[in-house]
Amino acid sequence: NAGVMQNPRHLVRRRGQEARLRCSPMKGHSHVYWYRQLPEEGLKFMVYLQKENIIDESGMPKERFSAEFPKEGPSILRIQQVVRGDSAAYFCASSPPGINSNQPQHFGDGTRLSIL
Amino acid sequence: DQQVKQNSPSLSVQEGRISILNCDYTNSMFDYFLWYKKYPAEGPTFLISISSIKDKNEDGRFTVFLNKSAKHLSLHIVPSQPGDSAVYFCAGTSRGAGSYQLTFGKGTKLSVIP
């Protein structure tokens, strides 16, 4: 399967713990995006990364959240000191390089984060 | 402030008939629109898109119409099939402004009745 791969699919954490969500983009894609979906809501943009660079993090909460996309390996969304309100589905998407690309973003199946 | 609105949370349609899903937007900078389909416990799957320089785009059973003056777009599915039952999300983005973030509506749940 050459699609966007996210793991884990489900993650349970207690309040105060750290959550790490991983995303491997589609083959040939170098742009990665993270979105969060709260219950009964649409997906909300969090951050846009290219290899080793954060391009747009305007949707990221100011504290506790960080993202990276290293030269080697998957993109990581890290949430420190999780709280109940962080419970949501987190989706990763990827797209090919090319600033004028009309290719759509392709999504993974998400990580469902539950905070006890 | 919701920049993309899907005012119908749900829609039921008989198999074989036309499904029309609607979407309104407020951001005049949006120049590219996409429709995604989502099944439970899966990620959104891209369906069809339209650039603001067009007013219609067609792909098989799916057609998207864009009315820029009304800031309104719609997705037509004809004929509707039971496998089309899913949540449909409309999204907009401002590629001309260099932005790649997608702004999504809350979705419309389509049920196609056999």
Side-chain angles (χ1 to χ4, degrees), chain A residues 23 25 30 32 49-53 67-77:
Chain A
C23 169
S30 56
V32 164
L49 310 103
Q50 295 176 20
K51 284 284 186 182
E52 300 184 282
N53 283 306
E68 62 176 9
F69 190 15
K71 189 176 179 181
E72 302 290 337
S75 175
I76 307 284
L77 179 67

Side-chain angles (χ1 to χ4, degrees), chain A residues 35-46 59 61 64-65 79 83-91 111-115, chain B residues 38 87 89 104-107:
Chain A
Y35 292 82
R36 176 165 65 175
Q37 185 185 25
L38 296 170
E40 310 302 323
E41 296 285 322
L43 283 73
K44 297 259 193 299
F45 170 80
M46 299 180 77
R64 302 186 298 108
F65 285 71
I79 312 172
V83 300
R84 287 247 170 91
D86 297 332
S87 295
Y90 292 82
F91 291 97
T111 293
R112 273 132 192 98
L113 176 64
S114 298
I115 309 302
Chain B
K38 186 180 180 304
V87 178
F89 291 97
F104 284 86
K106 291 189 177 184

Side-chain angles (χ1 to χ4, degrees), chain B residues 37-59:
Chain B
K37 170 181 176 180
K38 186 180 180 304
Y39 294 117
E42 293 185 12
T45 301
F46 170 73
L47 267 179
I48 192 169
S49 62
I50 188 166
S51 165
S52 59
I53 62 173
K54 295 186 174 182
D55 55 17
K56 177 183 174 181
N57 190 25
E58 193 171 355
D59 184 2

Side-chain angles (χ1 to χ4, degrees), chain A residues 86-104:
Chain A
D86 297 332
S87 295
Y90 292 82
F91 291 97
C92 171
S94 71
S95 66
I99 193 167
N100 291 318
S101 170
N102 278 323
Q103 291 293 319

Side-chain angles (χ1 to χ4, degrees), chain B residues 23-75:
Chain B
C23 178
D24 297 293
Y25 62 97
T26 57
N27 190 335
S28 302
M29 297 295 290
F30 285 163
D31 55 10
Y32 189 63
F33 302 90
L34 307 91
W35 284 93
Y36 284 83
K37 170 181 176 180
K38 186 180 180 304
Y39 294 117
E42 293 185 12
T45 301
F46 170 73
L47 267 179
I48 192 169
S49 62
I50 188 166
S51 165
S52 59
I53 62 173
K54 295 186 174 182
D55 55 17
K56 177 183 174 181
N57 190 25
E58 193 171 355
D59 184 2
R61 296 186 298 115
F62 302 92
T63 303
V64 55
F65 295 92
L66 174 62
N67 182 333
K68 279 182 64 178
S69 60
K71 293 193 175 68
H72 177 84
L73 60 157
S74 60
L75 175 68

